[in-house]
């Protein structure tokens, strides 16, 4: 009878400890953070570049080629965020690529 009582006490103590530990894990869950950057912050670079170009109000000329037809737009007012969106949206920091490449600087 004494062994059964000790076993129950041990079981209850173990379950209580597990419950308290799980409550701590839920209460201290990490907050969402920004995506980790493994190689280079390409989106950040192009966002800063778009802001710099928009602020500088430089003269631009846009050249277009589509189906062997060429066109030029002198003094075009460009939305640099839209023009650089392809580069901003490209994601070189994919988790699956982390071990495939090395950043040198």
């Amino acid at each position: 009878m004494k062994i059964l009582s000790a076993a129950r006490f041990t079981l209850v103590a173990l379950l209580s400890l597990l419950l308290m530990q799980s409550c701590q894990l839920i209460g201290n869950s990490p907050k969402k953070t920004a995506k980790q950057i493994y190689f280079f912050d390409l989106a950040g670079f192009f966002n800063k570049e778009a802001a710099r170009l928009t602020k500088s109000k430089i003269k631009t000329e846009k050249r277009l080629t589509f189906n062997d037809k060429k066109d030029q737009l002198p003094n075009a007012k460009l939305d640099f965020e839209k023009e650089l969106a392809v580069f901003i949206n490209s994601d070189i920091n994919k988790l699956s690529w982390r071990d495939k490449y090395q950043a040198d600087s």
Side-chain angles (χ1 to χ4, degrees):
M1 204 60 156
K2 226 177 192 188
I3 295 173
L4 189 59
S5 175
R8 282 185 187 163
F9 177 74
T10 305
L11 183 62
V12 169
L14 182 63
L15 287 174
S16 298
L17 184 65
L18 287 174
L19 285 172
M20 284 189 275
Q21 184 66 22
S22 66
C23 290
Q24 287 178 347
L25 290 175
I26 292 171
N28 294 332
S29 61
K31 295 179 181 175
K32 287 187 176 183
T33 58
K35 184 177 177 181
Q36 187 170 358
I37 296 179
Y38 297 106
F39 305 114
F40 182 75
D41 184 13
L42 197 62
F45 172 77
F46 279 108
N47 281 323
K48 287 178 187 175
E49 195 63 17
R52 183 186 68 81
L53 290 170
T54 302
K55 187 178 178 182
S56 69
K57 297 181 181 180
I58 60 172
K59 291 186 179 182
T60 57
E61 179 180 315
K62 186 172 183 176
R63 295 179 186 170
L64 308 162
T65 303
F66 183 71
N67 290 337
D68 294 329
K69 293 180 182 177
K70 295 182 179 181
D71 196 10
Q72 278 185 304
L73 301 172
N75 298 325
K77 292 186 178 184
L78 300 178
D79 180 2
F80 289 104
E81 285 186 26
K82 193 181 282 185
E83 296 291 330
L84 299 173
V86 171
F87 302 105
I88 292 169
N89 294 330
S90 64
D91 185 12
I92 63 170
N93 291 299
K94 292 182 181 180
L95 186 60
S96 61
W97 293 357
R98 184 179 60 193
D99 298 328
K100 306 273 189 255
Y101 300 98
Q102 291 179 345
D104 63 0
S105 57

